[in-house]
Amino acid sequence: MAASPGAKSDAQATDSKTPAVTTLKLLIPSLIGIFIFFIPITIAGRATIPLDHLVSAAKQLLGPYSGLYALILIVAGALYPLITGRWRRSTADMVFSLLKAIGVVAGVMAYTGAGPEVLQQPDMLPFLFDKLVIPVGLIVPIGAIFLALLIGYGLLELVGILVQPVMRPIWKTPGRSAIDAVASFVGSYSIGLLITNRTYQAGQYSAKEAAIIATGFSTVSAPFMIIVAKTLGLMDVWNQYFWLTLAITFVVTAITARLWPLSSMDRTLDDAEPEAKQGQRLKLAWHTGLNVAAGAPSLARGVWNNLREGLLMAIAILPSIMSVGLIGLLLAKYTPLFDWLGWLFYPLTALYGIEHAHELAQASAAGLAEMFLPALLLGGEGSSIDFVARFAAGVVSVSSILFFSASIPCILATSIPISITRMIVIWFLRVLFSLALAIPAAMLVQ
């Protein structure tokens, strides 16, 4: 498959006598990042990944001030588009700026306990604020610090080069998109969309390729998946959940890339990817990783940059979770909207004969509003929903990719020419195929 000219020149620039310090700069941060995100350890009788332990420690350290911390982030998130003027950029930005303002009102009510009794029920504002907003407000910045180790010192580029041969035949995208795909899944959809949009604007992706990547790989990051897993009681099977979700997400993307509306999009591009030399891929991958590590910022600067980006991401997300999440919970509890949408998926979930087929179908439909809603509807303390339905809901939350509280407006803010109508069609297809794969996967894990 193809490799970029820059990658070739990088490989030539790094000879076999690369100083040991550069090799260590590639290996040490990468291995630490892998440990933080993927290696469960037991502390105080609790077995989970180190990042989860760190978030729990931070919450314990803040104590009663954790709610105030989250409220400050919510207010900052509502003010940010007003201060920067981003609310004026499009109608979608205006709508979501208004929703963030509503999120502030909801946040204040959740923190103070004021407001209508219907909103103060345990499964409404208190649940959103205590079980979702506070953990997300902690895990995103803390996770961003360690994501610097995974995505900033050559590991992504090294892995990307190695998987180039499978990108075009399976996902209909060039080899360079491997970096976008992994950055989105391991980093965040905002990072992935930033890379995708810049590459599309440079003429290195066609409209079809950019849309496949944006709607097929730009999902929520590992830290968000931890919140989903904790809400659904899946941390005991974290590694199975993470890797199966990653696999299902990518398999579904391979399917949707071949179906309308993605299959009919423009394939024109200005800067096609050249072919890589046969037999040189492993060497090219290693040298590319080393060159990225050599040019990477110091660890302190890399951590600071990612912490800043993590805080900006947290303030962008939390107000929307409070407003769109609350609206979604109210619609789910007091209207038949998601019951109606859920019937679109019920024939499939019922086909497997699982115990809570209708609840899973309804929760999967609710994910269009906010990706956390399936977890909120089926999880929580004392949930009576069976493991298979909870596991499948956790997979669908991530693999569906598209939801109105964040990813859809982010895609609309790029130059990628894809409409809301087409994104809704893609969302439906992704949920359908995700359920078809996630339910049997959950049965195997059970």
Side-chain angles (χ1 to χ4, degrees):
M1 282 298 292
S4 66
K8 290 183 178 180
S9 62
D10 284 346
Q12 294 166 356
T14 304
D15 59 30
S16 59
K17 296 182 180 179
T18 301
V21 65
T22 304
T23 302
L24 292 175
K25 194 176 180 182
L26 166 63
L27 293 178
I28 292 177
S30 300
L31 291 173
I32 294 173
I34 291 169
F35 169 73
I36 291 293
F37 281 97
F38 302 118
I39 309 298
I41 60 174
T42 301
I43 298 178
R46 182 167 169 261
T48 186
I49 58 175
L51 179 60
D52 193 23
H53 285 300
L54 290 170
V55 171
S56 297
K59 186 175 181 180
Q60 186 175 3
L61 185 65
L62 283 172
Y65 297 104
S66 60
L68 180 61
Y69 161 79
L71 184 60
I72 290 171
L73 293 184
I74 290 171
V75 173
L79 292 176
Y80 188 75
L82 302 179
I83 295 171
T84 60
R86 292 189 177 188
W87 69 276
R88 299 191 191 95
R89 293 190 306 184
S90 67
T91 302
D93 283 301
M94 293 181 185
V95 171
F96 280 93
S97 295
L98 176 61
L99 286 172
K100 288 179 180 181
I102 295 172
V104 172
V105 176
V108 170
M109 287 193 294
Y111 180 70
T112 61
E117 183 179 349
V118 67
L119 300 182
Q120 295 298 340
Q121 295 179 24
D123 59 347
M124 287 293 168
L125 283 177
F127 183 78
L128 275 175
F129 195 71
D130 297 334
K131 302 300 183 182
L132 186 57
V133 169
I134 292 176
V136 168
L138 291 170
I139 205 167
V140 171
I142 295 173
I145 293 172
F146 294 101
L147 282 172
L149 307 180
L150 278 180
I151 68 176
Y153 294 88
L155 180 64
L156 279 185
E157 287 74 11
L158 187 154
V159 172
I161 295 293
L162 291 178
V163 301
Q164 280 179 350
V166 303
M167 297 304 294
R168 177 66 68 186
I170 297 178
W171 290 289
K172 305 292 185 182
T173 58
R176 57 169 66 99
S177 66
I179 296 173
D180 299 46
V182 181
S184 299
F185 208 101
V186 179
S188 74
Y189 58 83
S190 58
I191 294 172
L193 285 172
L194 179 63
I195 297 171
T196 303
N197 192 46
R198 286 178 178 174
T199 310
Y200 172 69
Q201 290 174 333
Q204 295 176 324
Y205 288 154
S206 67
K208 177 181 177 180
E209 291 167 348
I212 290 171
I213 297 164
T215 64
F217 298 127
S218 300
T219 189
V220 296
S221 63
F224 285 98
M225 290 179 67
I226 296 172
I227 301 295
V228 172
K230 290 183 70 172
T231 303
L232 289 166
L234 301 175
M235 286 307 293
D236 289 343
V237 291
W238 163 253
N239 273 317
Q240 296 96 314
Y241 168 67
F242 179 87
W243 293 111
L244 282 170
T245 300
L246 184 146
I248 289 170
T249 299
F250 287 179
V251 168
V252 171
T253 299
I255 297 171
T256 56
R258 290 164 168 78
L259 301 176
W260 187 88
L262 290 173
S263 63
S264 64
M265 295 187 68
D266 184 19
R267 303 179 185 182
T268 305
L269 72 165
D270 300 326
D271 185 11
E273 194 173 59
E275 291 295 323
K277 292 182 180 180
Q278 187 175 2
Q280 298 294 311
R281 189 162 306 281
L282 184 60
K283 182 179 179 181
L284 179 65
W286 177 249
H287 283 284
T288 301
L290 288 175
N291 274 278
V292 171
S298 67
L299 189 59
R301 180 175 291 276
V303 166
W304 168 248
N305 289 340
N306 275 268
L307 175 60
R308 185 179 66 245
E309 291 179 6
L311 284 170
L312 287 174
M313 185 181 300
I315 67 173
I317 293 165
L318 295 189
S320 297
I321 290 176
M322 284 303 303
S323 58
V324 179
L326 179 60
I327 292 169
L329 287 176
L330 289 171
L331 289 173
K333 188 169 184 177
Y334 295 108
T335 77
L337 176 61
F338 293 124
D339 279 327
W340 295 340
L341 286 176
W343 285 111
L344 296 173
F345 305 112
Y346 178 68
L348 175 61
T349 58
L351 185 65
Y352 285 98
I354 62 174
E355 184 179 351
H356 294 96
H358 182 260
E359 289 86 348
L360 174 58
Q362 179 185 1
S364 299
L368 180 60
E370 159 58 45
M371 65 82 54
F372 284 112
L373 278 180
L376 292 175
L377 293 173
L378 299 190
E381 295 180 8
S383 173
S384 60
I385 303 297
D386 71 285
F387 175 86
V388 171
R390 287 185 286 114
F391 191 97
V395 173
V396 172
S397 294
V398 177
S399 63
S400 58
I401 305 287
L402 300 165
F403 52 98
F404 274 105
S405 67
S407 64
I408 289 176
C410 283
I411 294 173
L412 291 174
T414 70
S415 303
I416 302 169
I418 185 166
S419 66
I420 290 179
T421 302
R422 290 193 171 204
M423 281 192 274
I424 292 175
V425 173
I426 296 167
W427 166 82
F428 171 77
L429 293 173
R430 293 196 66 89
V431 173
L432 193 67
F433 292 121
S434 295
L435 284 169
L437 296 170
I439 294 173
M443 292 175 177
L444 291 174
V445 173
Q446 188 177 26

